[in-house]
Amino acid sequence: MAIGDVETVPADESVHYVDTGMYDSAEYGSVYLIDDDCPALVDTGIGTNYERILHLLETVGVAPDELSVIALTHVHLDHAGGAGFLAEACPNAAVYVHEIGAPHLVDPGRLWEGTKGAVGEQIVFYTEPEPVPEERIEPITDGAEIDLGDHTLRAHHAPGHAPHQVVFEMPESDAVFTGDAAGVYTPSVDRIHATSPPPQFDLDGALEDVEMLQDLDPETLLYAHFGPAPADGRLSAYAERLQSWVAEVRDAHGDADDIEGIVERLWDPADAPEVWDERKARGEFAMNVRGVLASLDE
């Protein structure tokens, strides 16, 4: 699958996704479209190249003014950065987001400044977000349901990655849109990577989120990063990877005084998926190191 391609989720032919080419890398950013009575997007990417999401709508046959729902797993800009642009392009779509994150869509200034600090040099890939009109936002909490017709999106609070994160269970398809609660998945190499961005990553909370997903016991995981995959043992594997990753950074922290020193000690280019741009892969790695260090300091 290449940047800009649209594919159908094997477990449900009414669910489609596009490779948004996030960070100029394939197999990193996916946005989903559920083609139902009330068509819905799940997440919006970083705002850069949001036209690829409009292409997704066009490919599936959903006109922009027919889109009813934009459901955000959380307001980190790699998931919600396109919300303002798409709200403008799709004038009848309500934007659903956890109530903690809703104010950051109305006034994204603080979110933009915080993102600059969190992602470091990767900010060059981003576009400054546009605000979403307050009257277009539907704040949700744990247990909220969005009725799309033949499908339901049921929100489950998953605050380990960020306090404003939810995952969306879709019971009719035995699937869950995981946001960042199940890590980062690279289908071409069938590998799961830890995600631990600053400033709000919490290992214990993230592990609790994985347990919550395991309790839901979905057949299919719909990763924001990247694409659909059978659940199989991937949730257990991710819990193990999270714990080992935090331990690696903690151990390296004892031998290096600064973040760059820890990155140099731990970084191995051979571990980066070939489909990712090398600059993005190293930037992601450094960001995740900073997130673990921030959580250890707390």
Side-chain angles (χ1 to χ4, degrees):
M1 185 174 184
I3 292 172
D5 284 354
V6 173
E7 298 284 354
T8 298
V9 171
D12 188 331
E13 294 184 354
S14 62
V15 184
H16 312 266
Y17 65 107
V18 63
D19 186 331
T20 65
M22 192 180 295
Y23 304 111
D24 291 344
S25 294
E27 290 189 30
Y28 190 80
S30 47
V31 168
Y32 294 87
L33 173 64
I34 305 162
D35 186 15
D36 207 326
D37 297 339
C38 298
L41 288 173
V42 178
D43 283 339
T44 66
I46 59 179
T48 310
N49 302 126
Y50 74 90
E51 296 88 353
R52 289 175 181 148
I53 301 172
L54 296 178
H55 170 65
L56 166 64
L57 294 174
E58 180 182 9
T59 300
V60 176
V62 175
D65 62 0
E66 294 175 331
L67 188 72
S68 296
V69 170
I70 298 172
L72 302 175
T73 57
H74 57 303
V75 299
H76 286 167
L77 289 187
D78 55 333
H79 297 258
F85 299 102
L86 290 168
E88 182 176 1
C90 304
N92 296 315
V95 180
Y96 291 79
V97 64
H98 192 275
E99 61 183 7
I100 295 174
H104 294 291
L105 298 183
V106 177
D107 181 3
R110 287 180 57 195
L111 186 61
W112 177 238
E113 292 304 316
T115 300
K116 292 178 184 179
V119 305
E121 293 181 357
Q122 293 185 92
I123 197 65
V124 299
F125 296 107
Y126 286 73
T127 296
E128 186 169 357
E130 290 290 324
V132 177
E134 188 170 7
E135 64 273 14
R136 300 278 299 279
I137 295 176
E138 295 286 346
I140 58 175
T141 56
D142 185 73
E145 294 189 350
I146 307 170
D147 184 3
L148 306 180
D150 291 332
H151 298 80
T152 303
L153 293 177
R154 183 177 300 148
H156 298 270
H157 197 202
H161 178 79
H164 41 78
Q165 180 176 245
V166 298
V167 300
F168 289 109
E169 180 189 11
M170 194 161 60
E172 299 83 1
S173 305
D174 199 9
V176 174
F177 296 93
T178 61
D180 283 338
V184 172
Y185 175 64
T186 313
S188 62
V189 292
D190 192 24
R191 187 184 303 167
I192 296 174
H193 316 267
T195 178
S196 57
Q200 295 166 320
F201 168 72
D202 172 63
L203 175 61
D204 290 340
L207 292 173
E208 289 173 3
D209 293 343
V210 174
E211 289 181 8
M212 176 268 292
L213 288 169
Q214 290 174 314
D215 288 342
L216 294 177
D217 193 25
E219 181 177 332
T220 302
L221 301 174
L222 300 170
Y223 289 93
H225 315 289
F226 170 88
D232 293 338
R234 289 187 171 87
L235 292 171
S236 295
Y238 182 55
E240 293 174 3
R241 179 63 191 128
L242 265 179
Q243 293 175 89
S244 64
W245 165 242
V246 171
E248 288 170 19
V249 176
R250 182 189 295 114
D251 291 346
H253 187 32
D255 297 321
D257 294 330
D258 63 321
I259 291 173
E260 189 57 35
I262 296 172
V263 172
E264 287 297 329
R265 181 176 176 81
L266 295 177
W267 169 250
D268 183 352
D271 290 337
E274 292 183 6
V275 290
W276 291 2
D277 178 87
E278 183 177 351
R279 181 182 182 184
K280 191 277 166 294
R282 186 180 173 92
E284 173 100 351
F285 190 86
M287 177 187 69
N288 286 328
V289 168
R290 291 196 300 272
V292 172
L293 293 177
S295 70
L296 295 176
D297 288 342
E298 291 181 1

